[in-house]
Amino acid sequence: MVKNFGEFLLFIQSMVTRTERLKTLWQRTLEESVIIGFDSIFIVAIVSAFIGAVTCVQISYNLVSPLIPKSTIGFMVREMTILELAPTITSIVLAGKVGSSIAGGLGTMRITEQVAALEVMGINSASYLVLPRIVAAILMFPLLVILAMMLSILGGYLAGTLTGAISAQEYIEGLRTDFIPYNITFALIKSVVFAFLVSAISSYKGYFTTGGALEVGAASTGAVNNSIIAILLADFVLAALLL
Amino acid sequence: MIEIHNVQKSFNGNQVLKGITCTFETGKCNLLLGGSGTGKSVLLQCIVGLMQPDIGSITYDGSVFTNNKVQIRQEIRRKIGMLFQGSALFDSMTVYENTEFPLKMLTPEMTKEERRDRVEFCLKRVGLENAGNKMPAEISGGMKKRVGIARAIAPNCTYLFCDEPNSGLDPLTSLKIDELIHEITHEYNITTAIITHDMNSVVEIGDHIIFLHKGQKLWDGNKEEILNAQVPELKEFIFSSSLVRAAKKVDDESEGGLSAITDSTNSQSAGS
Ligand SMILES: Nc1ncnc2c1ncn2[C@@H]1O[C@H](COP(=O)(O)OP(=O)(O)O)[C@@H](O)[C@H]1O
Ligand SMILES: [Mg+2]
């Protein structure tokens, strides 16, 4: 475990020493951004809209007291999704989608000697293959999280009004109650940290794959498992530190 | 010329290379011959710098490669082309982009047009002028090897390394790939090292042959000498193939029988 962590740090270091030209790296980052960001919009949209909807319905089911105003439902949906559900659930979804594709892609490149081919050409393969993936993830995760925030609030709105649990006006009133802008900042900080963890852990798992196709599968699974655990740990640590 | 001096390599106490000293001559196909698991690939990886030898040194035309400064190693690496056992083409890129890749990365001063000319020349040289837009997954094993060769020679390499260039190919395609490597070596005066366990390659293109057995060099010489070598392990290796046994028999019975066989295969292939 400690040995792995040391190797992980060395891996991160090897990536930023003796890098390729910036132009090349930027181009690679854009390519990876499309794969990590654009290609994940659909799954993130579906998941976050439903989470918003379910949160709204369940809160209204639990709020039976006539003393509590209905607008509280809107307020709670906002607080829950912005602070926790949008950044964390989105990142966990992305750990599955992006993490497995990073680890699988790099693992395949490793066992088919494509990584060796880069090294023979004198290219720093860690910098060429991994750095753009990490940067792309750090750029794309926050954008996806913002999308998830908006869509889950919209999902809550639709679910609340269509089931008749709450009126549009009450929901919007709730959304506007006691808004703390720092919560958005906090969620975005979380998303950047999660982006780094998911992309770096998955890259590490994939980059050091040895063996054959079976090990590539194992590397993907390991990448997703470890990323999710890391996300949850970091979620707790960040909440304790920054809230 | 590449000089390898006393290269040793162990993995977890298991000594795979036990002090190998040999040279690869310029403008020749230098064959590393040996059975599976004798450490041929490990030796090649030490030579190109994918692995560090525990002891020993590798010198490229007088400049030391092992444990030298990063800049010098980098400079040597840029002159190295390598064809991998499984071709190792980048599978997200087309054949054209694969060949262009080392040029893009290593010679940023080249313009797009210069690169295009060079890529087209290299693809034509390996007989793939019409396959530029294909993806690696769409082409046959033999074509992949050709793309691998084109990618290796694109930056005008001085040293070419091939790890089992005809593994997984049928005999005719193997022969064509061997010939291509041989021709390119002589055309551009490249120092070529080829790993093989195929006696056909030895007879076809073995300008200089180095026989490895269990991590040691037991013999080296050329293809005329190999059939009369007196090393028991080498004899066992060579004559495991009944075809070679038959050839040897003809050779012994009628003077010059073997050279007749090699000559006829050469002239046949040159004609086709
Ligand atoms: N990275 C490695 N780690 C441990 N052992 C290795 C490694 N690479 C090769 N070996 C061992 O070295 C021996 C020689 O392998 P190799 O050079 O691939 O043989 P071949 O002559 O068939 O190319 C094998 O027994 C293999 O298990
Ligand atoms: Mg091998």
Side-chain angles (χ1 to χ4, degrees):
Chain A
M1 177 74 195
V2 175
K3 185 167 158 275
N4 274 348
F5 188 66
E7 278 174 5
F8 179 73
L9 291 184
L10 285 177
F11 171 61
I12 300 290
Q13 190 208 359
S14 74
M15 220 162 56
V16 290
T17 47
R18 202 167 62 79
T19 58
E20 295 309 314
R21 273 168 295 128
L22 274 180
K23 183 164 165 261
T24 315
L25 287 183
W26 179 242
Q27 266 169 4
R28 291 268 306 111
T29 304
L30 292 183
E31 285 166 24
E32 294 299 336
S33 298
V34 173
I35 298 170
I36 293 176
F38 192 77
D39 294 354
S40 305
I41 288 178
F42 181 71
I43 183 77
V44 168
I46 297 274
V47 169
S48 52
F50 273 91
I51 284 188
V54 171
T55 310
C56 178
V57 171
Q58 292 199 350
I59 290 172
S60 62
Y61 167 76
N62 281 305
L63 275 186
V64 281
S65 163
L67 292 176
I68 303 174
K70 280 253 173 102
S71 67
T72 310
I73 297 172
F75 172 77
M76 286 182 71
V77 169
R78 187 199 78 204
E79 288 300 291
M80 284 180 69
T81 54
I82 287 183
L83 263 184
E84 183 63 21
L85 296 178
T88 309
I89 301 286
T90 303
S91 297
I92 287 177
V93 168
L94 290 174
K97 185 180 174 296
V98 174
S100 62
S101 103
I102 289 180
L106 289 176
T108 307
M109 290 191 78
R110 167 67 74 187
I111 64 159
T112 57
E113 295 183 305
Q114 294 176 52
V115 174
L118 288 170
E119 290 287 334
V120 168
M121 290 177 198
I123 295 166
N124 178 350
S125 60
S127 145
Y128 180 79
L129 294 174
V130 176
L131 192 59
R133 285 177 161 89
I134 294 183
V135 175
I138 288 177
L139 293 176
M140 289 300 122
F141 272 44
L143 296 180
L144 289 168
V145 165
I146 291 173
L147 177 77
M149 288 173 181
M150 296 193 306
L151 287 179
S152 39
I153 288 172
L154 182 68
Y157 172 84
L158 290 177
T161 50
L162 290 179
T163 57
I166 183 173
S167 74
Q169 204 178 357
E170 285 168 325
Y171 189 80
I172 290 167
E173 194 190 317
L175 288 184
R176 289 180 165 174
T177 314
D178 295 332
F179 177 64
I180 309 168
Y182 176 73
N183 286 351
I184 303 245
T185 316
F186 176 68
L188 294 183
I189 292 173
K190 287 209 311 193
S191 69
V192 168
V193 173
F194 297 164
F196 174 78
L197 289 174
V198 169
S199 55
I201 290 172
S202 308
S203 299
Y204 172 78
K205 281 277 170 193
Y207 188 81
F208 290 108
T209 306
T210 49
L214 211 58
E215 282 79 7
V216 174
S220 286
T221 315
V224 176
N225 286 347
N226 288 305
S227 296
I228 291 177
I229 293 170
I231 287 175
L232 295 174
L233 280 177
D235 193 25
F236 175 74
V237 171
L238 287 173
L241 285 181
L242 296 180
L243 281 189
Chain B
M1 191 166 74
I2 304 171
E3 290 155 278
I4 293 134
H5 182 73
N6 190 26
V7 167
Q8 302 188 13
K9 180 80 190 173
S10 309
F11 296 104
N12 313 319
N14 161 30
Q15 196 172 21
V16 175
L17 300 178
K18 298 170 183 154
I20 295 194
T21 302
C22 58
T23 55
F24 296 154
E25 296 164 17
T26 308
K28 289 191 177 173
C29 284
N30 300 273
L31 264 51
L32 282 170
L33 183 68
S36 294
T38 47
K40 304 183 298 291
S41 296
V42 171
L43 178 60
L44 199 68
Q45 291 188 44
C46 287
I47 295 172
V48 299
L50 289 173
M51 246 179 222
Q52 280 290 60
D54 300 334
I55 309 178
S57 69
I58 291 132
T59 314
Y60 283 81
D61 288 317
S63 35
V64 182
F65 183 64
T66 19
N67 301 320
N68 212 328
K69 286 202 220 67
V70 175
Q71 289 95 317
I72 294 174
R73 287 170 64 92
Q74 205 74 351
E75 215 154 275
I76 295 173
R77 275 189 156 161
R78 292 189 177 213
K79 296 188 206 156
I80 293 179
M82 183 155 174
L83 172 62
F84 286 85
Q85 197 165 350
S87 299
L89 301 181
F90 302 120
D91 39 30
S92 59
M93 301 181 192
T94 63
V95 166
Y96 181 94
E97 287 164 344
N98 262 287
T99 316
E100 192 188 24
F101 183 79
L103 299 176
K104 255 182 161 167
M105 297 299 292
L106 303 181
T107 49
E109 64 278 5
M110 266 177 117
T111 65
K112 208 172 175 184
E113 286 68 38
E114 285 170 338
R115 283 206 305 265
R116 197 188 54 220
D117 290 348
R118 180 70 191 157
V119 171
E120 280 172 0
F121 173 83
C122 290
L123 286 179
K124 190 148 187 268
R125 185 63 195 82
V126 300
L128 288 178
E129 53 270 53
N130 297 322
N133 292 325
K134 294 219 163 69
M135 297 304 284
E138 298 168 351
I139 60 180
S140 67
M143 284 165 86
K144 280 186 195 162
K145 300 276 176 173
R146 285 171 193 273
V147 182
I149 295 172
R151 184 176 70 180
I153 63 169
N156 266 320
C157 67
T158 324
Y159 314 103
L160 178 62
F161 298 95
C162 309
D163 193 346
E164 302 200 4
N166 39 29
S167 68
L169 300 181
D170 62 84
L172 191 62
T173 316
S174 295
L175 183 66
K176 295 260 186 252
I177 297 290
D178 278 349
E179 279 169 3
L180 181 62
I181 296 172
H182 193 244
E183 285 165 18
I184 287 174
T185 302
H186 288 267
E187 240 169 86
Y188 306 113
N189 202 31
I190 298 174
T191 310
T192 302
I194 304 165
I195 291 184
T196 186
H197 49 219
D198 184 356
M199 280 311 290
N200 290 327
S201 304
V202 171
V203 178
E204 284 298 324
I205 61 169
D207 300 329
H208 177 214
I209 301 151
I210 295 154
F211 177 67
L212 297 185
H213 183 74
K214 296 194 175 151
Q216 281 174 311
K217 184 186 90 172
L218 294 185
W219 183 87
D220 71 333
N222 62 30
K223 66 181 172 195
E224 279 79 32
E225 296 160 357
I226 194 167
L227 289 182
N228 296 314
Q230 292 308 318
V231 179
E233 289 87 353
L234 177 56
K235 276 176 126 169
E236 192 190 345
F237 183 85
I238 301 173
F239 297 115
S240 60
S241 147
S242 49
L243 200 63
V244 182
R245 273 201 303 276
K248 170 76 172 161
K249 211 169 141 205
V250 176
D251 193 39
D252 289 345
E253 283 166 5
S254 65
E255 271 309 304
L258 179 79
S259 44
I261 292 176
T262 16
D263 287 352
S264 73
T265 42
N266 277 346
S267 58
Q268 255 174 28
S269 47
S272 66

